[in-house]
Amino acid sequence: MESEKLYIISVYSENQVGLLSSISNIFTRRNINIESLTVFPSEFPGVHHFTFRVFTTERNATQVVKFIEKKVDVLRAFSFEWQHGGASEHEIISDYLQERKNQLK
Amino acid sequence: MAELFSGAEILLKSLVDEGVDTVFGYPGGSIINVYDELYKYGGKLNHILVRHEQGAIHAAQGYARATGKPGVVIVTSGPGATNVITGVADAMVDSTPVIVITGQVSNAALGTDAFQETDVVGMTGPIDKWTYQIRRPEDVAPAVAKAFHIASTGRPGPVVLDFTKDAQRGRAEYHFEKCDFIRSYVPVPEPDEAQIDEAVRMINAAERPFVVYGQGIVLSHAEEQLKAFLKKGGIPAASTMLGLSALPSDFPYYVGMAGMHGNIASNLMTQRCDLLIAIGMRFSDRVTGIVSEYAPQARKIHIDIDETEIGKIVPVDLGVLGDAAQVLERITERMNFSFHDEWAVTARKYDQVEQAKVVAPEVQRTDGPLTMGEVISKVAEASGHDAIVITDVGQNQLMAARYSRFRSSRSFISSGGLGTMGFGLPAAIGAKTACPDRQVCLFVGDGGFQMTIQELGTILQEHTAVKVILLNNNWLGNVRQWQELFFDRHYSQTRMLNPDYSLIARAYGIRYRMVDERAGLDAAVQEMLDSDEAFILDAHVEEQGMVYPMIPVGRRVDEIMLNRNEWYEDGK
Ligand SMILES: Cc1ncc(C[n+]2csc(CCOP(=O)(O)OP(=O)(O)O)c2C)c(N)n1
């Protein structure tokens, strides 16, 4: 058995009614208990930031991130082992938004 | 001032501008404004009135699977919406583009337990590709445009638009603008050149390469790319059930269907190959058997458009994210010409065993009752292997998958991932509506037929000329088979007393013929195929027929039952 650790799953999304419940369903369907959840506007206009703290395995954490990203209204999702923090998240989202903007032009 | 239209009318205008010609639906109070506009819409949109909302969504799925265009469903709120849920889940797991418009109560009544209010957004969000509640008339056109983009691109899937009364009745301007960009959604990932090169190296180095492909080939229109790839690499290939018909059955490198009731060759070659190339398939447990023992000698490449699929079930040595047609084209261009003749012809050896031990006993009988295999083979042959084959779920489905032959893609439509009994009849109506010039043959059991039998009313009203081959065995056959083999013949609740189907056919004004004798089979099948109206062929087949070969649950895919007493042993 892979050991369970505390993970932070960090999600950036469009502000979409119903999205939170279908994201939390991704955890419950895999029997992953959500220890805590915060939702707040991110530093990017119109982009919401959710963070979930969950005890789970590395494999589950990676899979959950992919399934969350599969949601149409999710820009990007990340998982970190607790305490590592996400210094590069800001840059990744910033680059992502820039890149998508360029593709639109 | 610009002209204003009601949200209900904007919905219909948007559908027409998206190229929709047919919608499947059922009216009710919360969608009545849309039906009122439809009344004025005349011939621009063909609305098929089903007899139950589950029928509407399965018909839309049949339509979508036959054409590749999204199927459209319009239903009312509350029970109308909950009645389509099974189809939404089915379309999700089988990657079928459908757009479901559910009526919803007025904005002010949301959350009040108003009459026929139900939480559609909450219920469908976890099981569909995208859900959106339209609460303002000015949001209708953009929401419909997004819905079409999302449903039909990338890995296709169902989209639900929950359409409140305020949005239907309120007025707004209408401008049609197709959506082809959503900031948060990248439907077709650009293949990574390094991954392509690595795939080429692995393929060039392989001695016994083997392909298992799924419906992804059909969804990406990659049929020709797959053929070119297999020919250049000299690589044998098996199909999953949903991939059936992507390659013609007589394609030289095609070795059959993989999985629980698949062909011996495809399962044995999976176990013996040294490189498994999985394309547009998702390693269903019906395909893999025990996952840890699946393709044990092989390095594995998985090509898929959906990142969640790569490594989800079977750990792979290389994942290639992208559209199957694009990826195959690039790999084929760079790889070496190769032959693996000695390896490829091992399929023939396995086929001979299957022919002798499984196929002949099923289709070459001279006495006793008709078998499912005989009926299906006869229909396949008499229709020139050119019909669209629709199935329900159960033995009828597995046997139709095994004994049908295909000449063109999009010719096999079945509920795979969800295994929804009752899928067949409405899906056949949808496929025939989409392809009126093709022969559409439904194989259905007596159990599944009765799950959506009310759709015979739709056939009556619409004159949809589907050919229904009822494989009537008086049992819930597939469950009975499991009870016989694994539950000491405890036939718990699987015996079914059937109604007189000739009277049912008569009540609906549908042509009918019963066949229970080998001698009458040819003529009966011919009469059915020749009919230019709908037809029910009630084939009374062996009551306790079995589907073989079979890999029981919890076994490796080389542990294959050939019949009650005999297992396949490789190399003997
Ligand atoms: C909606 C639904 N309920 C139950 C099942 C479980 N199930 C799978 S196959 C089967 C028996 C099907 O019997 P029938 O339709 O007569 O077809 P046959 O297997 O005899 O061809 C059942 C009950 C299912 N797949 N779908």
Side-chain angles (χ1 to χ4, degrees):
Chain A
M1 263 293 285
E2 239 189 298
S3 66
E4 297 205 338
K5 293 186 210 119
L6 189 57
Y7 282 88
I8 307 291
I9 311 283
S10 168
V11 182
Y12 292 82
S13 81
E14 304 291 357
N15 177 17
Q16 188 67 53
V17 176
L19 185 60
L20 175 59
S21 86
S22 46
I23 293 180
S24 40
N25 255 296
I26 293 175
F27 293 97
T28 45
R29 195 176 155 199
R30 290 167 182 77
N31 201 17
I32 301 172
N33 200 25
I34 298 170
E35 303 292 327
S36 75
L37 161 63
T38 51
V39 190
F40 42 92
S42 76
E43 56 272 44
F44 304 99
V47 175
H48 275 234
H49 187 181
F50 306 67
T51 59
F52 297 82
R53 287 199 314 153
V54 295
F55 273 106
T56 192
T57 60
E58 189 186 342
R59 181 176 156 77
N60 262 340
T62 329
Q63 285 220 346
V64 157
V65 163
K66 288 199 211 166
F67 275 92
I68 292 173
E69 282 199 335
K70 188 171 165 175
K71 289 275 156 197
V72 167
D73 295 305
V74 170
L75 297 156
R76 295 296 297 273
F78 308 88
S79 74
F80 309 98
E81 248 182 80
W82 176 239
Q83 96 243 121
H84 287 215
S88 59
E89 270 181 52
H90 177 91
E91 277 156 53
I92 295 175
I93 293 295
S94 166
D95 289 352
Y96 178 86
L97 290 171
Q98 193 53 49
E99 190 188 312
R100 292 298 280 162
K101 213 168 177 178
N102 294 342
Q103 284 167 355
L104 181 58
K105 277 181 205 143
Chain B
M1 230 191 77
E3 199 182 346
L4 296 182
F5 304 94
S6 73
E9 187 171 2
I10 294 175
L11 171 74
L12 300 188
K13 282 180 170 301
S14 303
L15 293 177
V16 170
D17 285 340
E18 289 286 350
V20 174
D21 49 27
T22 305
V23 299
F24 302 90
Y26 207 92
S30 306
I31 194 76
I32 197 162
N33 300 75
V34 170
Y35 276 85
D36 191 53
E37 289 302 333
L38 195 63
Y39 184 78
K40 304 172 197 159
Y41 235 65
K44 278 199 208 158
L45 265 181
N46 177 24
H47 178 278
I48 309 274
L49 177 66
V50 295
R51 294 299 181 271
H52 183 293
E53 290 89 350
Q54 186 185 354
I57 187 152
H58 292 329
Q61 291 176 271
Y63 179 97
R65 296 265 289 268
T67 58
K69 283 169 47 178
V72 179
V73 176
I74 302 179
V75 297
T76 194
S77 65
T82 54
N83 276 348
V84 300
I85 294 274
T86 301
V88 172
D90 191 293
M92 186 67 180
V93 65
D94 282 355
S95 315
T96 309
V98 289
I99 289 163
V100 181
I101 295 131
T102 55
Q104 182 55 285
V105 299
S106 62
N107 294 352
L110 287 168
T112 65
D113 298 330
F115 180 64
Q116 295 192 332
E117 185 215 352
T118 189
D119 182 6
V120 171
V121 173
M123 280 189 292
T124 59
I127 57 163
D128 70 3
K129 191 168 172 188
W130 191 60
T131 297
Y132 184 77
Q133 189 171 66
I134 311 176
R135 271 170 261 124
R136 304 184 312 171
E138 57 269 35
D139 292 343
V140 176
V144 173
K146 269 180 94 169
F148 274 83
H149 178 52
I150 292 167
S152 58
T153 55
R155 179 174 179 177
V159 164
V160 176
L161 297 176
D162 196 32
F163 196 12
T164 70
K165 273 266 177 187
D166 299 62
Q168 292 177 43
R169 277 189 306 221
R171 300 178 80 77
E173 291 178 20
Y174 173 68
H175 306 283
F176 174 65
E177 203 179 326
K178 230 177 147 47
C179 169
D180 59 8
F181 183 89
I182 295 170
R183 178 170 73 167
S184 56
Y185 171 65
V186 184
V188 185
E190 185 57 28
D192 179 300
E193 292 299 321
Q195 289 173 353
I196 303 260
D197 286 335
E198 180 57 19
V200 169
R201 270 194 292 279
M202 289 167 74
I203 293 165
N204 285 344
E207 288 176 9
R208 298 183 309 283
F210 190 61
V211 163
V212 180
Y213 65 87
Q215 195 193 192
I217 295 295
V218 179
L219 297 171
S220 293
H221 309 283
E223 293 91 345
E224 292 311 313
Q225 286 84 349
L226 177 63
K227 287 181 198 164
F229 170 71
L230 299 176
K231 280 187 196 161
K232 186 167 179 189
I235 304 172
S239 176
T240 66
M241 191 175 80
L242 289 202
L244 287 179
S245 86
L247 287 181
S249 309
D250 60 1
F251 188 74
Y253 295 92
Y254 180 64
V255 305
M257 181 171 77
M260 182 179 274
H261 295 282
N263 296 102
I264 297 175
S266 76
N267 288 315
L268 265 291
M269 291 175 86
T270 301
Q271 295 305 80
R272 302 190 60 193
C273 66
D274 68 348
L275 177 67
L276 183 81
I277 307 154
I279 313 170
M281 56 84 88
R282 56 184 186 85
F283 295 108
S284 150
D285 47 89
R286 291 301 189 254
V287 162
T288 60
I290 310 180
V291 174
S292 57
E293 312 262 353
Y294 179 73
Q297 307 181 24
R299 299 185 76 203
K300 299 178 185 76
I301 301 176
H302 190 183
I303 301 169
D304 207 282
I305 202 163
D306 178 355
E307 193 175 359
T308 66
E309 291 300 348
I310 295 176
K312 183 183 77 176
I313 307 285
V314 172
V316 292
D317 300 276
L318 175 68
V320 184
L321 191 60
D323 173 82
Q326 277 181 27
V327 171
L328 284 174
E329 219 163 81
R330 293 188 201 181
I331 291 178
T332 307
E333 208 176 273
R334 293 177 210 181
M335 75 190 196
N336 299 338
F337 276 102
S338 235
F339 301 94
H340 304 281
D341 290 358
E342 211 173 306
W343 159 239
V345 297
T346 53
R348 301 292 155 254
K349 179 184 91 184
Y350 300 127
D351 284 348
Q352 280 163 13
V353 178
E354 185 164 332
Q355 186 61 37
K357 295 283 184 182
V358 180
V359 178
E362 176 75 21
V363 301
Q364 290 171 8
R365 298 205 194 170
T366 47
D367 54 5
L370 278 173
T371 67
M372 285 195 191
E374 281 178 288
V375 177
I376 295 161
S377 300
K378 177 49 65 190
V379 172
E381 185 195 312
S383 60
H385 304 157
D386 212 15
I388 299 182
V389 174
I390 316 277
T391 82
D392 204 74
V393 168
Q395 293 183 316
N396 60 86
Q397 169 185 43
L398 304 163
M399 293 301 255
R402 289 185 48 76
Y403 290 94
S404 297
R405 295 289 173 269
F406 306 101
R407 284 166 53 172
S408 55
S409 189
R410 295 194 178 276
S411 297
F412 183 78
I413 298 173
S414 186
S415 167
L418 208 65
T420 307
M421 282 173 71
F423 173 85
L425 183 61
I429 292 171
K432 184 68 187 177
T433 306
C435 305
D437 299 332
R438 286 192 69 183
Q439 190 74 262
V440 172
C441 293
L442 164 69
F443 295 100
V444 60
D446 38 324
F449 189 40
Q450 293 182 83
M451 280 209 177
T452 47
I453 197 167
Q454 74 284 345
E455 299 308 332
L456 292 175
T458 309
I459 292 177
L460 163 69
Q461 187 157 350
E462 298 291 335
H463 307 287
T464 325
V466 302
K467 308 298 166 64
V468 179
I469 300 108
L470 176 61
L471 297 170
N472 187 346
N473 56 9
N474 296 311
W475 289 90
L476 296 173
N478 208 50
V479 180
R480 194 208 62 77
Q481 171 164 350
W482 284 42
Q483 290 171 334
E484 173 175 337
L485 292 174
F486 314 118
F487 290 88
D488 291 334
R489 305 184 189 215
H490 296 161
Y491 294 132
S492 178
Q493 303 300 322
T494 42
R495 182 79 177 147
M496 272 205 322
L497 188 60
N498 269 307
D500 183 337
Y501 289 109
S502 73
L503 294 179
I504 288 182
R506 229 177 98 202
Y508 283 101
I510 295 175
R511 295 181 60 188
Y512 170 92
R513 177 160 171 175
M514 190 276 281
V515 58
D516 60 357
E517 277 182 350
R518 200 154 279 115
L521 183 61
D522 286 13
V525 167
Q526 204 53 53
E527 182 188 349
M528 172 192 77
L529 292 174
D530 289 345
S531 165
D532 47 19
E533 296 167 30
F535 198 104
I536 296 173
L537 179 62
D538 183 2
H540 290 193
V541 294
E542 186 181 26
E543 291 213 337
Q544 309 214 348
M546 304 286 276
V547 185
Y548 289 116
M550 178 175 193
I551 299 160
V553 171
R555 298 280 191 160
R556 300 188 310 263
V557 298
D558 54 337
E559 298 182 285
I560 303 175
M561 292 178 82
L562 297 173
N563 54 51
R564 231 171 296 250
N565 313 310
E566 220 176 337
W567 292 68
Y568 184 74
E569 290 177 76
D570 200 14
K572 293 193 187 155

